[in-house]
Amino acid sequence: MKPSGSAAESLAEVFRCCRSELVWLGAFILGDRPAAEDVVQDVFLRMHQRSDRLADLDDPLPYLRGAVVNGCRSVLRRRLLIGRHAGKDQPCPPLSAEEAMLLSEDRRQVLAALARLPARRREVLVLRYYAGLSEAEIAVTLGISTGTVKSTAARGLAALARALKESR
Amino acid sequence: MITQDELARTAERLRDALTAAADVMAEPDAAAVITPVPQRPGGPGRARAWLIPLAAAACVVAVIAASVLLATNLARTSSSASQPAYPGFSICEPLPAAGPGTALPRFYVTTDVAARQIQLQVRRTSDCAVTAVVPLPDGWLLTGGISATAGDRTFFAAAFSASRCPVQAGVGGISYAAHETRFFRFAVNDQGRAGRLTVVGPPVSGIVGPVAASPDGSRIAFNAADGNYVGPGTACAGGEAEGAAIRVIDLATGKIRTWQTPEMPPAPAGTSVTPHEVSWMADGRTLAVSYVWPTNPSGPQLSMAVAALDTTSRGGSLQAHSHVLWSQPHKCVFCVDEALISPDGKSLTATAIQHTAHGDRETLLRIALPSGRYRVLYESPAETNPTSAFTQDGSGQHVIVVSGSQAGWIRAGKLVLLRAPGSALQFSPGITTIAW
């Protein structure tokens, strides 16, 4: 379906404002920025094909966040299924060497520890502490209950704290 | 042992590291996918600043719409042929011959999303074929999910109107859309054909958590999440954020009883608890309510308990009208996330995380009451997505597990996937999308 002029303009505006944010979100979840860029590209492509849905949304950003999280899950699922990573996510902070040099050692350690967490915990922590979503919003974005969000976030944060403590 | 202070510091370090990383990351390659768009001057920092009001306008309605629509779209665009089968899984097996125990439900209800309209699908358990399609009214989206009565032939869905609500200022800089939830009911006959979808009970303002229909279908229970915006009774009216509560609607009278849940044992005094799932016992009077709370620094980071609420009480404090059935052991081997009670009240079915030397493993348990002894019903294979939700039938014997975007019922420790052979993935993650 070819989008109407106003739908195309809206989509272009959303693309302009939000693409970077979404790529970073995906990169933090996947630990792999090229893959995150592919996910976000796919999301925008599908939005382009179904731009009528864009017109239905008061604010497309939450919609896009959900799409990116789901896209990242598909990537992780495919990786796991084909056994490329032997059932485990490869820790791979989404920064180039040059970019990493701009961060303090402490921040690099935090990101490395985050990348080693299981995918669900990483998703919840990134949505909570990067995207700034509330527990209720994370719950509906991930399709889980608020109690599960709370427990996953607590366990994820505790695991992160333990990992950082051990790395000292 | 990790203290609360360390957790708070870790949270701050994480927020700081993510923000800093996003700021130093080069702008992602903006080769336009759709239309070439010039980059906004000022780099990522300015772009993020621009996003603040946009984030403040975030609308929960849209998030839910996204979750449902996109999960389905992703499912449709995924090529099942290109994905290897899940190891150890079978698909839509014929029903086992009648044996000891209760029969497997013949039908289950799940969702499908047409262009702009959510459809409830009735499917046959034996072959996953669609026997009926029940569209929700145009523009309505599921919020509290689907629930079945004990006879597994009457189903309820909680949904809200999605796009006509103004955004309200919310908690912590995040905004919520005020909206109105309605409850829908339909019946399924022996051939799997569905009766008319009817609206039941009064409207409820705000988002509702997972709903549970009473065994006879005369009442609906749900938890109203903490921080929900509730209005004075009309759609989109906005209102004040309300504390967490359990609500039961009597469908015959339309009367709603409410039990507030600020504190519950065994959580320490002064500690707020968050209610979670609700499930009915066969007596149609006792409602099991699970809830979680943050523990003190020396214990596990989050604890959980299940209480039995007498729903014939007039409402008020949950603590005053309930008693604790089970609580998470101080040092849990299987740390329970979600729990539903069996109809006879003698056990809980629960999802739990098992901490092992090789990492965490998601499991489904049956916990005997009051002893707390448990039996593992199902272990999620390490190479698959973790169990995200589960639901049980009216007998409490047959359990559907949602694992990633797959769902299946448990037979002898294995998952029998509930999707038609050769079809693509069909389930959105979450308990809200399937019931039997």
Side-chain angles (χ1 to χ4, degrees):
Chain A
M1 174 181 167
K2 190 178 172 65
S4 65
S6 60
E9 286 166 16
S10 299
L11 192 56
E13 178 62 23
V14 170
F15 182 84
R16 185 163 46 235
C17 84
C18 305
R19 182 173 180 272
S20 299
E21 176 99 354
L22 294 169
V23 168
W24 295 326
L25 177 67
F28 287 134
I29 291 173
L30 288 172
D32 180 345
R33 201 164 79 202
E37 289 179 354
D38 288 346
V39 167
V40 173
Q41 176 168 314
D42 188 46
V43 165
F44 274 104
L45 187 60
R46 278 186 285 115
M47 284 286 280
H48 178 63
Q49 290 163 344
R50 301 301 308 270
S51 57
D52 53 327
R53 281 188 184 155
L54 189 66
D56 290 344
L57 300 174
D58 295 334
D59 172 12
L61 186 56
Y63 181 97
L64 291 165
R65 280 195 196 116
V68 169
V69 170
N70 278 323
C72 290
R73 285 178 162 181
S74 294
V75 169
L76 292 173
R77 185 163 54 242
R78 280 198 295 275
R79 283 180 183 171
L80 295 176
L81 284 173
I82 63 178
R84 208 161 57 197
H85 298 293
K88 290 185 178 177
D89 301 329
Q90 288 292 316
C92 171
L95 296 170
S96 68
E98 294 79 10
E99 290 162 353
M101 288 302 292
L102 296 174
L103 288 178
S104 66
E105 174 63 22
D106 180 72
R107 286 168 172 165
R108 286 202 297 268
Q109 279 183 359
V110 172
L111 294 175
L114 176 71
R116 285 193 294 269
L117 291 181
R120 168 92 74 85
R121 292 180 181 178
R122 206 162 58 226
E123 287 169 7
V124 169
L125 291 182
V126 169
L127 289 171
R128 183 79 190 90
Y129 295 105
Y130 176 65
L133 302 193
S134 68
E135 287 171 351
E137 287 173 315
I138 296 170
V140 291
T141 300
L142 299 181
I144 57 180
S145 66
T146 49
T148 302
V149 171
K150 202 179 267 286
S151 58
T152 304
R155 288 179 183 135
L157 205 56
L160 198 63
R162 275 195 299 274
L164 293 172
K165 208 171 181 179
E166 286 164 7
S167 67
R168 279 209 296 261
Chain B
M1 189 65 69
I2 304 296
T3 66
Q4 292 296 338
D5 280 349
E6 286 173 308
L7 284 180
R9 277 200 302 277
T10 302
E12 196 45 50
R13 287 173 70 187
L14 177 59
R15 189 180 283 114
D16 168 70
L18 288 170
T19 305
D23 284 341
V24 303
M25 262 195 254
E27 187 77 7
D29 177 13
V33 187
I34 308 150
T35 309
V37 177
Q39 287 299 296
R40 179 181 291 266
R46 281 192 57 174
R48 286 172 47 74
W50 189 89
L51 281 171
I52 292 171
L54 191 60
C59 171
V60 168
V61 172
V63 176
I64 297 176
S67 303
V68 176
L69 293 173
L70 279 165
T72 306
N73 280 345
L74 282 172
R76 284 176 174 159
T77 54
S78 299
S79 166
S80 60
S82 66
Q83 294 179 356
Y86 270 39
F89 286 24
S90 57
I91 296 174
C92 278
E93 291 181 349
L95 298 186
T102 56
L104 201 68
R106 288 180 59 199
F107 303 100
Y108 61 96
V109 171
T110 184
T111 58
D112 189 19
V113 181
R116 297 186 187 185
Q117 193 172 13
I118 287 188
Q119 293 181 344
L120 303 173
Q121 288 186 340
V122 182
R123 287 174 176 259
R124 223 170 13 234
T125 307
S126 58
D127 60 3
C128 303
V130 176
T131 61
V133 172
V134 184
L136 285 182
D138 194 12
W140 287 74
L141 294 171
L142 284 178
T143 171
I146 311 167
S147 179
T149 60
D152 75 34
R153 294 302 166 87
T154 304
F155 293 86
F156 290 85
F160 63 91
S161 178
S163 59
R164 300 181 185 87
C165 298
V167 172
Q168 305 288 322
V171 178
I174 300 297
S175 296
Y176 292 81
H179 44 255
E180 177 186 70
T181 296
R182 298 299 309 244
F183 300 93
F184 298 86
R185 179 177 62 199
F186 68 98
V188 174
N189 68 13
D190 286 347
Q191 286 72 47
R193 295 198 183 90
R196 192 162 159 265
L197 187 73
T198 54
V199 175
V200 294
V204 174
S205 293
I207 296 173
V208 307
V211 297
S214 65
D216 65 357
S218 66
R219 294 194 290 170
I220 295 174
F222 59 91
N223 92 52
D226 197 7
N228 223 0
Y229 268 72
V230 293
T234 57
C236 306
E240 297 298 318
E242 191 178 72
I246 300 297
R247 294 205 169 94
V248 173
I249 298 178
D250 185 319
L251 298 179
T253 63
K255 190 175 174 187
I256 303 177
R257 295 185 191 194
T258 301
W259 291 267
Q260 305 292 344
T261 61
E263 294 183 23
M264 279 292 290
T271 302
S272 295
V273 304
T274 302
H276 201 166
E277 297 81 30
V278 289
S279 52
W280 290 92
M281 282 174 50
D283 62 11
R285 162 180 178 155
T286 310
L287 187 73
V289 179
S290 62
Y291 50 96
V292 297
W293 68 93
T295 58
N296 61 48
S298 61
Q301 305 308 325
L302 205 70
S303 200
M304 179 187 179
V306 179
L309 166 67
D310 179 1
T311 60
T312 61
S313 61
R314 297 183 61 178
S317 158
L318 178 65
Q319 187 171 355
H321 300 288
S322 66
H323 63 277
V324 176
L325 293 171
W326 174 88
S327 63
Q328 189 103 277
H330 182 61
K331 290 184 177 177
C332 48
V333 178
F334 291 92
C335 299
V336 170
D337 272 333
E338 303 178 18
L340 303 177
I341 198 161
S342 63
D344 62 6
K346 291 181 178 174
S347 65
L348 298 171
T349 305
T351 52
I353 293 178
Q354 179 188 10
H355 300 293
T356 72
H358 307 293
D360 294 345
R361 196 96 183 255
E362 299 241 5
T363 57
L364 187 74
L365 304 178
R366 184 143 293 156
I367 302 171
L369 297 175
S371 70
R373 279 195 292 270
Y374 58 80
R375 180 164 61 91
V376 174
L377 299 177
Y378 172 71
E379 280 189 320
S380 185
E383 65 271 27
T384 64
N385 282 304
T387 300
S388 60
F390 73 103
T391 186
Q392 61 185 12
D393 72 339
S395 73
Q397 296 299 306
H398 306 294
V399 181
I400 290 177
V401 165
V402 180
S403 178
S405 54
Q406 301 277 14
W409 57 279
I410 305 296
R411 190 176 71 174
K414 293 273 178 83
L415 202 60
V416 180
L417 288 182
L418 287 168
R419 64 178 168 90
S423 69
L425 305 176
Q426 292 191 357
F427 295 92
S428 307
I431 199 167
T432 60
T433 55
I434 192 164
W436 67 357

